[in-house]
Amino acid sequence: MEKLRTIKFTTATDQKLEKIALALGRSKRLVFVQMVDYFHRNKKDPTDLNDDLLKNSLSKSHKTYMGFIKSQEDLLLIPIKQGVDKMIGNQRDIVKFFNEQVLGANKTLLKNQHQMLERTAESDKVIKAVLQRMDGADQLKAKFLQILNSYIKSREELGSFKGREKEELAELTRKQVENL
């Protein structure tokens, strides 16, 4: 059997030890033994609140995490960023090319539409002129027929003996035809 030793401490310290033991679910003796083992193994000074060993441990962990993050950055983040930058550049080129092509096609289309409108307007003018001439030709034929019929009728009324009057009638008819 082990030999037990006695340590005297204040009531306030006993209350703190009891709270720790209750929180951990262990006996006060077991908690005390574990505290002594902890300080003995880690060579920590309980009065040093800025524990250098703890700082070193945290620093090593921090360096490990930073190394992991940097390796992930080299393996994943940088290639992803480069790929995204390249994709954005390609998309800009596509949009630029598309805009140039569409704008060029639209300008050509507008130019062709204006040319077609001009040609259509010219065609309308020509058609109107042809229609007017056709109407004019029909009217001219009608007037010519009137003159011819008037000539024939007047000639038949004169008879065959009046040569001078026939010449005057022929001259009058020629003037009327010229005035058409």
Side-chain angles (χ1 to χ4, degrees):
M1 211 160 179
E2 288 184 30
K3 214 174 187 189
L4 296 176
R5 304 268 180 196
T6 306
I7 298 179
K8 292 186 178 182
F9 46 86
T10 65
T11 310
T13 305
D14 182 54
Q15 289 173 351
K16 289 178 188 175
L17 182 61
E18 193 170 329
K19 283 182 182 177
I20 293 170
L22 282 173
L24 296 174
R26 303 175 192 141
S27 69
K28 289 195 281 185
R29 184 180 291 170
L30 181 60
V31 169
F32 180 77
V33 171
Q34 289 173 342
M35 283 191 306
V36 171
D37 286 341
Y38 174 78
F39 288 118
H40 179 70
R41 256 185 291 136
N42 293 319
K43 309 224 182 317
K44 292 183 180 180
D45 181 3
T47 60
D48 185 13
L49 297 176
N50 295 326
D51 190 6
D52 286 331
L53 291 174
L54 182 60
K55 283 182 184 177
N56 290 339
S57 170
L58 289 174
S59 176
K60 286 179 186 176
S61 296
H62 179 71
K63 287 179 184 175
T64 304
Y65 288 134
M66 290 306 294
F68 174 76
I69 289 171
K70 286 188 180 200
S71 68
Q72 292 301 310
E73 181 180 22
D74 290 340
L75 291 173
L76 295 174
L77 296 177
I78 291 174
I80 288 173
K81 185 180 181 316
Q82 290 172 343
V84 168
D85 289 343
K86 186 176 180 181
M87 182 183 67
I88 288 171
N90 289 342
Q91 292 227 342
R92 278 192 191 120
D93 292 343
I94 290 169
V95 167
K96 180 182 173 186
F97 179 75
F98 182 75
N99 284 340
E100 288 172 358
Q101 290 297 318
V102 168
L103 290 176
N106 285 346
K107 287 178 183 177
T108 304
L109 184 63
L110 284 173
K111 180 182 170 187
N112 290 340
Q113 284 179 344
H114 287 295
Q115 288 176 350
M116 287 188 70
L117 286 173
E118 289 172 4
R119 289 180 185 160
T120 303
E122 289 174 14
S123 296
D124 285 346
K125 288 179 184 177
V126 169
I127 290 172
K128 286 179 182 176
V130 167
L131 285 174
Q132 286 176 349
R133 287 186 180 169
M134 285 177 63
D135 288 342
D138 288 342
Q139 290 173 354
L140 186 64
K141 284 180 188 178
K143 288 180 181 178
F144 184 74
L145 281 175
Q146 272 182 336
I147 293 170
L148 183 62
N149 288 335
S150 171
Y151 172 76
I152 293 170
K153 185 178 177 186
S154 298
R155 187 170 182 181
E156 287 177 1
E157 289 176 356
L158 284 177
S160 56
F161 298 111
K162 298 181 181 176
R164 187 172 160 242
E165 288 178 357
K166 284 185 181 180
E167 273 304 312
E168 287 176 3
L169 180 62
E171 190 61 32
L172 179 65
T173 305
R174 281 188 199 107
K175 284 183 183 177
Q176 286 179 343
V177 170
E178 283 177 11
N179 290 335
L180 289 178

